[in-house]
Amino acid sequence: MIPRIYIPGDSGALALGAEKVAKAIEKELADRGIEAKIVRNGSRGAYFLEPMVEVATADKGRVAYGPVKPSDVKSLFDCGFLTGGYHKRWLGAPDKIPFLAKQTRLTFARCGVINPLSLDHYKAHGGLKGLQNAVAMAPADIVKQVTESGLRGRGGAGFPTGIKWKTVLETTADRKYIVCNADEGDSGTFADRMIMEGDPFVLIEGMAIAGIATGATKGFIYIRSEYPHAVAVMRKAVEIARGAGLLGLNVLGSPNAFDMEVRVGAGAYVCGEETSLLDSLEGKRGQVRAKPPLPAHKGLFGKPTVINNVISLASVPIIMDKGAAFYKDFGMGRSRGTIPIQIAGNVKYPGLYEAAFGMTLGEIVDDIGGGTATGRPVKAVQVGGPLGAYFPRALFDTPFDYEAFAAKDGLIGHAGIVVFDDTADMLKQARFAMEFCSIESCGKCTPCRIGSTRGVEVLDRLAQSIEPEKQIALVTDLCNTMKFGSLCALGGFTPYPVMSALNHFPEDFRPTPVAEAAE
């Protein structure tokens, strides 16, 4: 048996030195005259252990080592790591590592396990079963199954996926489109990238099912330009899928036609908003469109369009494979299934943790994330990207659920969590939110374009202790205008981080006057 060595080619692992480790292992194999196969898999998401190298052994299964440095490679071979030998970097079976063992992996079941560009690996681990079931079903029955599963948009809005699909199915047109929003621009988020780099065929399968369900024959994956590795992997995967009959005029030999292509964005955060994304796809400047008409009625090139996030589409295959009841059995309330929680910032154990809805914020931050990396107390946690609310420890009993977060004036968004310790200045964080909005605004509506700029000015005056009570009243009124008057969520959600910081950390918004500090 030729040893098989798994070294992640995932962007996060590469940033932590995986390519150098791979070259060191290749050199050591050559120097020792050992024949082995190196597989560049995706990451399992435990980034505090990356680069995590795995070896497939005859008697122990896969054995993991990490975080591996190039300087560890020689001693790894000396310790017999090709047969699972003990080394200081030894982690044992990957699925027994506590961070991974406690997860409920449905969407990310294959991520980090398979060769991302091997269709045989994909099928051997349960891939294509959902699509095989879908091609034998009527479109309305597919839509019904997705609706009954309770799947909601994982991009941030949480809109029921099945309702969106039903609207497109029932809209008559000569052409329809499926658009995958892979413009993952929120801080602390990387779930979309992990899927595209680690299990691209699950996204392709999900999009093909969406096409068959709604009558759409063309799909586009809109990926942010900052994800070059994801772009490269997805393009190769689409070619492989097309060559294998997963895409084309007869999907899996059925009468259904569906094909897709990858498009790359130009770096605008606002293009994560679905109508701005459509303008960008059409070759225009990315600006928010007024609704109605909804994209489901008049979307890309004026045709009915389904726009779903990567994780929404990647969750469809298991629903079509295992059934709606299986998926709906996970979660709480109206939040069904699993959610890939991305833990980042000042945290001891950063990574992706897929679990059913319902865990508390405290469990995620303290038990799974291990608290702060600095060892200092957690002061705040921002959930939902740069437009998400800051939650203090007093709200750590909030369950991870769309409605529970909304009830506390927060939002789950794309499920990114950024942790801050007690050295964070929340006034500066509030100012950053306003500044971010002013820089990224498409400029179409006044509350967002002008409101964010005025917000920066007001918070700067507050930082200088110039009539603080007046500035606080002014920024509160400004946030109210932006929240209810903006055309899209960029301006509409910017008040969340600002007002949550102000309400939960008022002491940071009353800095010591400059004159007093000098004394």
Side-chain angles (χ1 to χ4, degrees):
M1 175 182 171
I2 298 175
R4 190 180 294 263
I5 306 170
Y6 292 83
I7 309 171
D10 169 274
S11 294
L14 292 177
L16 292 165
E19 195 61 39
K20 292 179 180 178
V21 171
K23 289 180 179 177
I25 288 176
E26 287 174 357
K27 183 178 183 302
E28 198 66 24
L29 287 169
D31 290 348
R32 296 183 184 231
I34 299 173
E35 184 182 1
K37 181 176 178 57
I38 293 178
V39 177
R40 302 308 297 270
N41 57 323
S43 172
R44 292 181 185 258
Y47 282 106
F48 58 96
L49 296 176
E50 293 288 8
M52 188 166 82
V53 177
E54 299 176 35
V55 180
T57 66
D59 57 339
K60 302 172 186 173
R62 280 174 59 167
V63 179
Y65 299 82
V68 175
K69 300 176 182 177
S71 58
D72 295 321
V73 171
K74 189 178 185 302
S75 60
L76 277 170
F77 277 85
D78 290 340
C79 292
F81 97 111
L82 291 180
T83 55
Y86 182 78
H87 183 272
K88 63 180 180 180
R89 303 294 185 193
W90 184 89
L91 298 169
D95 55 3
K96 295 294 197 305
I97 296 170
F99 185 86
L100 299 172
K102 297 176 183 178
Q103 297 190 35
T104 303
R105 289 224 161 174
L106 301 183
T107 307
F108 284 78
R110 286 173 294 268
C111 213
V113 177
I114 65 170
N115 177 344
L117 293 173
S118 170
L119 201 51
D120 288 337
H121 274 207
Y122 182 66
K123 289 189 283 189
H125 288 81
L128 294 187
K129 290 181 179 178
L131 182 57
Q132 288 165 350
N133 289 339
V135 295
M137 296 169 65
D141 291 336
I142 300 173
V143 172
K144 182 182 178 184
Q145 189 157 318
V146 171
T147 303
E148 290 179 349
S149 74
L151 178 65
R152 294 167 69 175
R154 298 293 191 252
F159 189 81
T161 304
I163 293 176
K164 188 179 286 189
W165 287 20
K166 186 174 187 288
T167 305
V168 175
L169 172 64
E170 295 176 349
T171 302
T172 303
D174 59 347
R175 184 135 205 207
K176 300 177 184 179
Y177 296 100
I178 305 296
V179 173
C180 173
N181 184 347
D183 193 60
E184 186 177 48
D186 284 353
S187 48
T189 59
F190 42 87
D192 293 356
R193 179 188 58 71
M194 273 185 60
I195 280 289
M196 290 188 288
E197 294 178 0
D199 192 11
F201 292 120
V202 76
L203 176 55
I204 293 171
E205 183 179 357
M207 289 184 69
I209 293 170
I212 294 167
T214 59
T217 55
K218 181 72 174 183
F220 292 94
I221 307 172
Y222 185 94
I223 307 177
R224 67 195 302 245
S225 59
E226 296 89 343
Y227 280 178
H229 293 90
V231 170
V233 173
M234 284 308 310
R235 281 181 170 156
K236 289 178 184 174
V238 168
E239 289 178 11
I240 293 168
R242 190 178 293 122
L246 273 67
L247 300 173
L249 293 175
N250 303 101
V251 175
L252 289 185
S254 72
N256 303 289
F258 186 78
D259 207 344
M260 67 175 71
E261 61 183 85
V262 174
R263 293 289 180 89
V264 182
Y269 178 80
V270 76
C271 285
E273 193 279 331
E274 61 181 15
T275 62
S276 293
L277 186 155
L278 292 178
D279 268 11
S280 180
L281 262 180
E282 292 176 2
K284 304 169 186 174
R285 176 185 175 187
Q287 282 195 311
V288 177
R289 300 178 184 178
K291 300 175 189 176
L294 295 170
H297 293 137
K298 190 177 179 181
L300 186 64
F301 304 119
K303 304 297 182 182
T305 304
V306 167
I307 307 176
N308 282 142
N309 164 261
V310 170
I311 304 304
S312 306
L313 290 162
S315 299
V316 169
I318 195 164
I319 293 170
M320 298 308 300
D321 174 19
K322 303 287 188 181
F326 170 83
Y327 192 79
K328 193 174 183 177
D329 191 48
F330 298 92
M332 65 174 286
R334 290 176 52 216
S335 301
R336 311 312 306 176
T338 59
I339 181 81
I341 302 164
Q342 299 126 89
I343 308 169
N346 186 346
V347 65
K348 189 174 182 181
Y349 302 125
L352 181 138
Y353 195 94
E354 184 178 0
F357 285 96
M359 297 182 68
T360 66
L361 188 56
E363 288 176 310
I364 296 166
V365 175
D366 297 327
D367 301 342
I368 298 166
T372 65
T374 56
R376 300 182 66 90
V378 174
K379 180 174 183 176
V381 175
Q382 187 176 33
V383 182
L387 307 181
Y390 289 100
F391 275 29
R393 183 163 284 281
L395 295 180
F396 275 21
D397 60 346
T398 306
F400 216 76
D401 162 74
Y402 289 107
E403 281 66 45
F405 264 70
K408 301 288 178 66
D409 292 323
L411 51 100
I412 283 179
H414 192 41
I417 291 180
V418 179
V419 180
F420 297 82
D421 72 12
D422 61 352
T423 62
D425 184 330
M426 303 313 292
L427 172 55
K428 289 182 179 178
Q429 293 303 123
R431 184 193 185 280
F432 170 76
M434 285 291 191
E435 182 183 36
F436 179 84
C437 181
S438 68
I439 292 170
E440 296 294 344
S441 175
C442 76
K444 192 164 186 176
C445 71
T446 303
C448 176
R449 183 184 72 250
I450 303 300
S452 55
T453 302
R454 296 289 88 85
V456 172
E457 295 169 355
V458 171
L459 291 173
D460 280 344
R461 289 197 294 272
L462 182 56
Q464 298 171 48
S465 292
I466 300 173
E467 301 180 293
E469 297 306 322
K470 180 180 178 181
Q471 308 309 333
I472 289 173
L474 188 55
V475 78
T476 301
D477 184 59
L478 190 59
C479 281
N480 189 61
T481 300
M482 291 176 69
K483 183 175 181 178
F484 296 105
S486 296
L487 194 57
C488 84
L490 178 54
F493 283 2
T494 295
Y496 280 87
V498 177
M499 292 309 300
S500 60
L502 176 59
N503 292 331
H504 297 308
F505 308 96
E507 65 279 3
D508 286 6
F509 286 77
R510 289 167 176 78
T512 305
V514 177
E516 289 184 23
E519 292 176 8

